[in-house]
């Protein structure tokens, strides 16, 4: 009876190891590599979208500053600091 129990335990462990190794091997097949690249590309696209949104927000903020300065009659430097301070 003990032998049958240990045979069952061995088969179960072997099946689990085989499934784990099969999943790891799937990652190195062309399909697995394509899926990985697709997931990575999706992350890059999200990062680019986030960057573009940040740039648009900054552009809108700067445009508001320029309009406010123009309305007040302030002359802005061409490439100057938006706060009028000289840095560095």
């Amino acid at each position: 009876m003990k032998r049958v129990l240990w045979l069952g335990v061995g088969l179960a462990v072997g099946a689990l190891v085989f499934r784990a190794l099969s999943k790891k091997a799937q990652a190195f097949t062309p399909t697995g590599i394509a899926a990985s690249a697709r997931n990575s590309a999706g992350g890059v696209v999200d990062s680019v979208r986030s960057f573009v949104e940040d740039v648009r927000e900054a552009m809108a903020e700067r445009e508001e500053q320029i309009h406010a300065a123009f309305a007040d009659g302030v002359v802005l430097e061409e490439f100057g600091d938006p706060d009028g301070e000289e840095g560095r």
Side-chain angles (χ1 to χ4, degrees), residues 59-74 76:
M59 284 177 18
E61 181 181 329
R62 181 63 177 146
E63 188 174 341
E64 288 175 19
Q65 291 173 351
I66 292 170
H67 285 296
F70 182 74
D72 294 341
V74 175
L76 298 175

Side-chain angles (χ1 to χ4, degrees), residues 6-22:
W6 287 112
L7 178 66
V9 170
L11 288 173
V13 169
L16 291 174
V17 168
F18 180 77
R19 287 185 63 201
L21 291 176
S22 295

Side-chain angles (χ1 to χ4, degrees), residues 13-63:
V13 169
L16 291 174
V17 168
F18 180 77
R19 287 185 63 201
L21 291 176
S22 295
K23 286 181 183 180
K24 293 288 184 185
Q26 170 64 25
F28 296 107
T29 63
T31 304
I33 293 171
S36 176
R38 188 172 35 253
N39 291 341
S40 295
V44 170
V45 169
D46 290 340
S47 296
V48 170
R49 283 185 183 146
S50 175
F51 173 74
V52 169
E53 288 173 8
D54 290 344
V55 169
R56 285 183 180 161
E57 289 174 9
M59 284 177 18
E61 181 181 329
R62 181 63 177 146
E63 188 174 341

